[in-house]
Amino acid sequence: HRTLRGHTTIRATMVSVSSALSPPITTQILPVALSDIDFPRDADMPNIPQSSVTYTNLHRAADMIRNHIAPVAFPTETVYGLGASALSTTAVRQIFAAKNRPLDNPLIVHISSVSQLRRVLHTKIPGIYEPLIQKFWPGPLTIILPLPDPIRNEDGVETPAISPACTPGQNTFGVRMPSHPVARALIAITDTPIAAPSANASSRPSPTTAMHVYTDMAGRIPLILDGGACNVGLESTVVDGTVSPPAILRPGGVSIEEIRKYGGPFWKDVVTGKSEAGQDEKVRTPGMKYRHYSPKAKVVVILGQRDGSDGEIVRYIRGLSGDLKIGVLPSRLFNLDCWDEEIKKKICVVKKLGKSGADISRNLFAHLREVDEAGVDLIIVEGVGEEDEGAAIMNRLRKAATEILD
Ligand code: TXA
Ligand code: MG
């Protein structure tokens, strides 16, 4: 396995993409060290030693974003993002092209401080969000805000405060302040709100390492900042407090229980959004209607461990006919040590997800990718209960799965 320390330049060899970014481009992976960045919660700018590689690489990425040259991939605490200026339609379109993302799926705008949100996006924050911002920003929480009024120049000409390409068909936008020092520093240095979806190719599992991004994006983007593996591993929680009762549009890095606990009286009644949407349906979380998080192999999620045993999966594997190559991602109950030889013989890769919600979240996308790369036909994943991190884990698994057994 190649290590990504030092300045790694890789020429992408396989470029067969229908991307707007032609001719083929070289994708560089540039290291950044979290330990070089000091960014106190209430500061507007980070302290980074100017002599560090981190400083140089952050500024290269920032120039690329400021000058709308191309989107840049960067680490956040949730997953890697693919960022461009949220103020420029040209720049935002480059994100959609690189990812092959459906144009009606809105992007989250990332900011480095609340003062930047007020100053650059001319946004007032409804009081309902105050306790959540106080508790969870910077961090894995996205809030939905009404679109700001257009900005009027001296000649009376109006331009939208955020590129409409970020918010297709919506009169709201999603915004979050990431806690990852690299993400926050990049936004502060560019002094620009950055629109950033997850940096995977559309429909693939979200990337939690620079190498995952490289696998999906080589030849499509020029730069990946490598800040190591993401700590949360699943995307941010998206909450909408502009409606009554307030709603969770996507479970993620902040749990529903935490929103209820720390949100104050309004968030006690928070409802969870619809989890499915038809192709033509206009929905509040437009991303929901698309295929998501899909490895090449078929994914089966098994929930049937209510009796505290893993008999269900053993029966399932026994019932499979043919010479399928099987990968298994166990978490809390599947105990492969106890399975008989006949069953074990059928399994070619096992990657443990962990026992705690935090571990399972952190490992899920990475393990799906890894087992997929082993060339299996079928990935069997142990489902979990929906409490705490479980809601976000099961939300991603339901979208990745072709079959769910409970
Ligand atoms: O953790 C994250 O949120 C990551 C990192 C990179 O910050 N970003 C991310 O972006 O997950 P993306 O594009 O993969 O997911 C954006 C989703 C949309 O599919 C939609 O569900 C929701 O956020 N969203 C964004 N803007 C919205 C809006 N105005 N109204 C409703 N939902 C919105
Ligand atoms: Mg995504």
Side-chain angles (χ1 to χ4, degrees):
H1 222 80
R2 201 158 37 81
T3 59
L4 297 175
R5 267 183 221 107
H7 181 126
T8 320
T9 305
I10 304 160
R11 174 156 282 281
T13 46
M14 223 189 58
V15 184
S16 58
V17 291
S18 58
S19 140
L21 299 172
S22 53
I25 50 172
T26 302
T27 301
Q28 288 189 315
I29 302 178
L30 302 181
V32 279
L34 283 65
S35 55
D36 285 335
I37 306 170
D38 172 34
F39 204 154
R41 183 183 191 273
D42 294 316
D44 283 337
M45 273 306 234
N47 290 310
I48 308 168
Q50 289 199 17
S51 58
S52 64
V53 173
T54 304
Y55 184 92
T56 311
N57 289 343
L58 273 169
H59 279 265
R60 278 187 61 183
D63 283 344
M64 214 165 253
I65 292 176
R66 254 194 310 251
N67 298 316
H68 310 162
I69 294 168
V72 168
F74 61 95
T76 84
E77 72 278 20
T78 58
V79 300
Y80 273 70
L82 185 62
S85 168
L87 309 179
S88 157
T89 297
T90 313
V92 172
R93 290 225 173 101
Q94 290 174 336
I95 300 177
F96 283 91
K99 277 185 61 104
N100 229 338
R101 183 179 173 102
L103 290 170
D104 63 348
N105 194 357
L107 305 183
I108 294 168
V109 179
H110 296 68
I111 49 150
S112 55
S113 63
V114 171
S115 64
Q116 187 191 43
L117 178 60
R118 295 209 180 92
R119 178 170 51 84
V120 185
L121 296 176
H122 310 273
T123 299
K124 286 195 206 74
I125 304 167
I128 184 168
Y129 289 122
E130 258 159 39
L132 294 181
I133 288 175
Q134 207 51 39
K135 179 73 190 169
F136 298 113
W137 273 10
L141 179 75
T142 296
I143 63 173
I144 300 292
L145 294 175
L147 271 182
D149 291 331
I151 297 161
R152 184 189 273 263
N153 72 7
E154 300 104 56
D155 305 326
V157 179
E158 291 192 337
T159 43
I162 301 172
S163 163
C166 293
T167 58
Q170 311 283 315
N171 53 14
T172 57
F173 74 108
V175 65
R176 93 172 181 99
M177 190 201 307
S179 64
H180 197 292
V182 172
R184 228 180 127 209
L186 182 64
I187 304 161
I189 292 168
T190 55
D191 195 23
T192 307
I194 293 182
S198 46
N200 52 288
S202 196
S203 90
R204 299 262 301 140
S206 299
T208 58
T209 66
M211 212 51 211
H212 297 159
V213 180
Y214 186 79
T215 302
D216 284 16
M217 289 293 159
R220 297 176 177 230
I221 56 170
L223 204 66
I224 301 168
L225 290 179
D226 184 357
C230 302
N231 193 40
V232 177
L234 298 179
E235 301 87 338
S236 61
T237 302
V238 181
V239 294
D240 189 353
T242 68
V243 291
S244 183
I248 290 180
L249 302 185
R250 177 179 74 181
V254 175
S255 73
I256 299 161
E257 290 86 345
E258 287 175 299
I259 303 266
R260 290 210 171 99
K261 179 166 176 199
Y262 295 105
F266 290 114
W267 293 93
K268 293 267 183 283
D269 304 324
V270 67
V271 293
T272 50
K274 261 169 76 172
S275 64
E276 292 303 330
Q279 280 300 312
D280 302 321
E281 211 172 327
K282 181 124 183 162
V283 287
R284 306 227 319 271
T285 306
M288 293 191 307
K289 71 184 179 195
Y290 297 107
R291 197 175 133 83
H292 253 90
Y293 312 121
S294 313
K296 295 175 201 103
K298 183 177 156 186
V299 176
V300 173
V301 176
I302 299 193
L303 291 163
Q305 319 94 335
R306 293 212 183 86
D307 58 352
S309 83
D310 53 13
E312 184 80 25
I313 180 182
V314 173
R315 272 191 298 281
Y316 181 81
I317 297 174
R318 196 166 276 133
L320 291 169
S321 54
D323 248 347
L324 287 180
K325 286 181 79 179
I326 301 172
V328 179
L329 304 186
S331 55
R332 292 174 178 151
L333 281 168
F334 288 5
N335 184 0
L336 280 71
D337 296 335
C338 301
W339 298 358
D340 58 46
E341 287 307 315
E342 184 208 342
I343 297 292
K344 280 199 240 175
K345 258 199 338 246
K346 295 192 170 201
I347 298 167
C348 63
V349 214
V350 179
K351 288 283 297 176
K352 290 184 181 163
L353 288 168
K355 304 270 185 211
S356 72
D359 284 346
I360 299 168
S361 300
R362 190 180 304 115
N363 292 329
L364 182 63
F365 287 141
H367 283 12
L368 280 174
R369 279 180 180 259
E370 209 172 305
V371 174
D372 203 33
E373 266 157 33
V376 300
D377 306 296
L378 176 66
I379 305 173
I380 301 175
V381 189
E382 177 181 349
V384 296
E386 303 257 351
E387 67 287 346
D388 302 321
E389 292 95 340
I393 294 165
M394 287 309 297
N395 170 273
R396 305 309 186 272
L397 278 177
R398 288 212 169 83
K399 292 179 187 191
T402 41
E403 199 178 342
I404 300 174
L405 303 178
D406 64 17

